[in-house]
Amino acid sequence: MPNVFGPVPSRRLGLSLGVDLIPFKTCSYNCLYCQVGETSFLKVKPEAHVSERTIVNEISEKLLTSTPDAITFAGSGEPTLNSEIGKIITSVKELSDIKVVVLTNGSLFWQEEVRRRVLMADVIMPTLVSAFEDTFKLIHRPHPSLKLINIIEGLQKLRGDYQGSLDLEVIFLEGLNDSEKEIIGLKRIIDQIEPDKIQINTVVRPPTDSKAKSISNKRLAEIMTYFGKKAEIIATSILIGEEGKGSLAINNLLEMVRRRPLRAVDIAASLNLSLKDVDGLVKALLIKGYLRKQKHSKEDYFISNEKDIPSYK
């Protein structure tokens, strides 16, 4: 599948062109709530996984046919695990004036070189789920070398170094980090980090582990009020088509896989798209949790996450 995928509508970013800089499910965490699945490669040392030239060429090609609101470094794992991310961000910003966003779990910013690599981005969106080590480990199932105190210090140092918009995502799971103790502890740490925005989230699509359960809208609203004016709820599930731009093919694809599993070649034929375009759309929807992949007769089929009983034809 391509390294650059979409663009797809995003509630936070408008029409977002995704950039995947690492091999599938390479991450420093193995989160309970991840909608992409179990981490395959648990690591903390950045390496040069995908080259600057490869990414820039793919983005250039995409920009010939689409005008996204944001170019988002995200994907199936942790983008800062690519040691070339700084060079890639610089090249992408020379390519266009489109906003560059880094969607990250925030686990590696205790390393000065990792912080330095992302400073040219327009927006950085790290994640924080707890002020307590035991809860942090329970939810994120991190690489053994990672300690919460270092991660929090890394986020504070990033705030000091970074001039762009730092939008902190806080994901709440029922019975795990939604108690008064957890919320008070989180607010204390968030006040120290001083993000520009606090984005409150919960599980909205099937997670990796069934222990990851969403909290109610009422509880989300209570937390938002407690966190103050910078806080906003982003957990509300939206239809892909609500953003309006470039969403017809995505809506049609989702409607087809709700009825039965399909191969990429079937989707391409039905929507009159190239296989390359279908690969980009499918990858985006897999990462966003709208689809899942399943093998049948040695072929990959794509299935809606809203449908549990496959019907192969």
Side-chain angles (χ1 to χ4, degrees):
M1 283 190 173
N3 299 292
V4 177
F5 54 93
V8 293
S10 162
R11 182 177 178 188
R12 290 182 283 182
L13 300 171
L15 195 65
S16 173
L17 184 66
V19 182
D20 200 356
L21 298 180
I22 41 85
F24 186 76
K25 284 306 298 174
T26 298
C27 198
S28 50
Y29 291 165
N30 184 23
C31 301
L32 293 176
Y33 59 81
C34 184
Q35 58 200 21
V36 189
E38 294 273 353
T39 292
S40 304
F41 305 101
L42 190 66
K43 58 181 292 186
V44 293
K45 183 179 178 181
E47 297 178 33
H49 291 291
V50 184
S51 73
E52 173 192 358
R53 175 171 293 185
T54 297
I55 296 297
V56 170
N57 286 346
E58 287 193 33
I59 291 176
S60 297
E61 186 176 346
K62 280 285 188 180
L63 294 182
L64 293 175
T65 57
S66 64
T67 307
D69 299 305
I71 297 173
T72 308
F73 289 79
S76 63
E78 174 49 42
T80 61
L81 283 171
N82 189 319
S83 59
E84 299 294 298
I85 189 172
K87 295 178 182 177
I88 296 170
I89 290 172
T90 299
S91 294
V92 170
K93 289 187 71 65
E94 291 172 353
L95 192 64
S96 80
D97 295 328
I98 298 169
K99 177 171 61 181
V100 172
V101 180
V102 177
L103 192 61
T104 168
N105 64 27
S107 65
L108 303 180
F109 291 132
W110 50 272
Q111 301 176 57
E112 182 181 357
E113 63 271 23
V114 175
R115 294 198 304 275
R116 187 178 66 248
R117 289 171 189 152
V118 300
L119 295 181
M120 288 293 291
D122 298 294
V123 183
I124 300 176
M125 294 181 169
T127 300
L128 186 68
V129 300
S130 182
F132 303 101
E133 183 77 17
D134 289 347
T135 308
F136 161 75
K137 287 182 176 178
L138 178 64
I139 293 174
H140 283 314
R141 299 183 294 193
H143 187 280
S145 68
L146 291 175
K147 304 298 179 188
L148 179 59
I149 187 171
N150 296 330
I151 291 168
I152 291 171
E153 288 176 358
L155 291 171
Q156 291 171 331
K157 289 179 179 178
L158 177 66
R159 175 71 288 178
D161 296 342
Y162 180 55
Q163 301 302 308
S165 183
L166 185 66
D167 301 352
L168 187 68
E169 181 183 37
V170 188
I171 299 173
F172 287 98
L173 305 176
E174 184 183 34
L176 298 181
N177 67 337
D178 61 337
S179 67
E180 291 301 315
K181 174 186 173 183
E182 290 282 348
I183 293 168
I184 291 170
L186 270 167
K187 188 175 189 304
R188 174 176 54 84
I189 297 300
I190 291 169
D191 287 346
Q192 293 171 8
I193 296 171
E194 297 184 318
D196 294 285
K197 294 180 182 178
I198 306 165
Q199 299 180 328
I200 300 170
N201 206 351
T202 191
V203 175
V204 295
R205 299 188 191 101
T208 294
D209 193 298
S210 60
K211 291 193 291 290
K213 299 183 185 302
S214 61
I215 65 173
S216 69
N217 290 336
K218 179 182 177 183
R219 188 60 171 152
L220 287 170
E222 291 171 349
I223 294 168
M224 180 184 69
T225 300
Y226 179 69
F227 279 178
K229 293 181 179 179
K230 292 181 180 180
E232 60 181 343
I233 296 170
I234 62 167
T236 306
S237 182
I238 63 169
L239 293 173
I240 286 282
E242 285 183 5
E243 298 291 340
K245 295 188 290 184
S247 60
L248 181 59
I250 298 172
N251 282 327
N252 288 341
L253 190 161
L254 291 174
E255 187 59 34
M256 289 190 301
V257 296
R258 286 189 189 105
R259 296 189 180 101
R260 63 185 179 94
L262 294 172
R263 302 168 299 169
V265 66
D266 302 322
I267 297 168
S270 297
L271 299 180
N272 196 26
L273 296 173
S274 69
L275 276 174
K276 187 173 183 180
D277 286 340
V278 169
D279 283 344
L281 287 177
V282 164
K283 182 168 185 174
L285 295 173
L286 284 168
I287 287 170
K288 290 176 77 68
Y290 288 97
L291 299 182
R292 56 191 167 96
K293 184 166 65 174
Q294 184 170 312
K295 279 211 175 286
H296 179 72
S297 299
K298 299 183 180 180
E299 291 193 273
D300 288 334
Y301 281 78
F302 299 100
I303 303 172
S304 171
N305 253 336
E306 300 174 13
K307 187 178 179 70
D308 297 323
I309 304 173
S311 174
Y312 299 94
K313 295 180 182 178

